[in-house]
Amino acid sequence: NKSTKKMIRLFSNRVISRVVTQQTFVPSIVSGVSVSRKFLHSTPIVRSGDVTYQHQDTPDNNSQTPFEFTDENYEKVFQILGKYPKSFKQSAIMPLLDLAQRQEGWIPLSAMNKIAHICEVQPIRVYEVASFYTMFNRKRVGKYLVQLCGTTPCMIRGAESIMETIQKHLGIEAGETTPDGLFTLMEVECLGACVNAPMIQINDDFYEDLTPETTIKVLDSLKNGTPIKVGPQNGRNGCIGVQGKTTLTSPPIAHPCRDLDKC
């Protein structure tokens, strides 16, 4: 009847109103458009994947900031372009972004504009690539970019204590750079060295099987400019277990092949 339906509507509206008042709105920028994420609880969630994709001008990163490839790197630019048909220069965007980052240590806006000019595409075509892949640094980072893996295998093997060690030793938090511009610390997802957990990637090199003590040793060696062994820091060879090789200890015996000449 009408009175029953009215009561159901009133009850439903109260429930909906109660749920809405408990939602927490966390602003996020996706491709330059502001959106809101809704969570059914009262505490905001900070996610490691929340990144500002929209460019923000700074004194050292704007469209007027000078950028030019070095003469040596221009030779590499022509080598890269030579790998693709002339009508598909845009295929060179990713390797050229990598080249610019290796030259500058990061990728300023003016470098992206230069790459767009070289590839004869609209700048947005370069922006959307650079903002999609997290390996492209669109903000200035230190000479040594320390990326700590925080995914499950590394976490179980002590990644949290390694993070605390780095933060305490360098005096910075994740996402920050030391005042001398030497180190930037980031927490990232799986780097594919789970069998050697916990580990960090510094620039292009992996340092694995870490303890707080060996982590400090790696950082100090880089700071002082002294050589440091790349890879496992506990003395083992590659990803071979502590018990040594248990399989493939000798060259495999080849299977007999048919003598096709006699067929």
Side-chain angles (χ1 to χ4, degrees), residues 183-196:
F183 296 97
T184 295
L185 176 60
M186 294 174 59
E187 181 180 347
V188 298
E189 298 304 318
C190 184
L191 290 170
C194 308
V195 71
N196 294 82

Side-chain angles (χ1 to χ4, degrees), residues 36-202:
S36 294
R37 288 179 176 170
K38 301 179 181 180
F39 303 107
L40 296 180
H41 47 67
S42 58
T43 305
I45 292 180
V46 179
R47 300 186 178 187
S48 60
D50 287 342
V51 180
T52 300
Y53 292 100
Q54 189 176 33
H55 171 77
Q56 298 176 350
D57 275 353
T58 60
D60 64 344
N61 188 14
N62 56 73
S63 60
Q64 304 304 316
T65 304
F67 171 84
E68 194 64 78
F69 283 111
T70 63
D71 292 341
E72 180 183 358
N73 279 341
Y74 258 121
E75 293 181 8
K76 295 180 181 179
V77 168
F78 297 135
Q79 290 175 3
I80 291 171
L81 291 174
K83 296 178 180 180
Y84 308 102
K86 291 183 179 180
S87 57
F88 289 92
K89 288 184 178 181
Q90 66 268 28
S91 300
I93 289 176
M94 289 185 67
L96 290 180
L97 283 170
D98 178 69
L99 183 63
Q101 180 161 283
R102 290 182 183 279
Q103 175 178 304
E104 301 294 316
W106 62 300
I107 305 175
L109 179 66
S110 52
M112 290 186 267
N113 292 338
K114 173 64 70 173
I115 292 170
H117 177 74
I118 291 173
C119 293
E120 299 179 4
V121 297
Q122 293 297 319
I124 186 60
R125 296 303 182 190
V126 181
Y127 302 161
E128 62 189 8
V129 174
S131 62
F132 181 82
Y133 293 101
T134 58
M135 291 177 69
F136 293 131
N137 301 310
R138 294 180 298 112
K139 292 184 179 180
R140 189 181 295 276
V141 296
K143 178 180 179 181
Y144 299 109
L145 177 58
V146 181
Q147 300 179 82
L148 170 74
C149 176
T151 313
T152 307
C154 282
M155 181 191 69
I156 294 173
R157 293 281 297 161
E160 292 180 354
S161 66
I162 301 301
M163 174 64 85
E164 292 172 1
T165 298
I166 297 173
Q167 290 174 332
K168 182 178 180 180
H169 190 66
L170 297 181
I172 58 175
E173 300 292 324
E176 296 179 348
T177 300
T178 54
D180 58 8
L182 271 183
F183 296 97
T184 295
L185 176 60
M186 294 174 59
E187 181 180 347
V188 298
E189 298 304 318
C190 184
L191 290 170
C194 308
V195 71
N196 294 82
M199 59 81 63
I200 56 177
Q201 178 179 341
I202 302 180

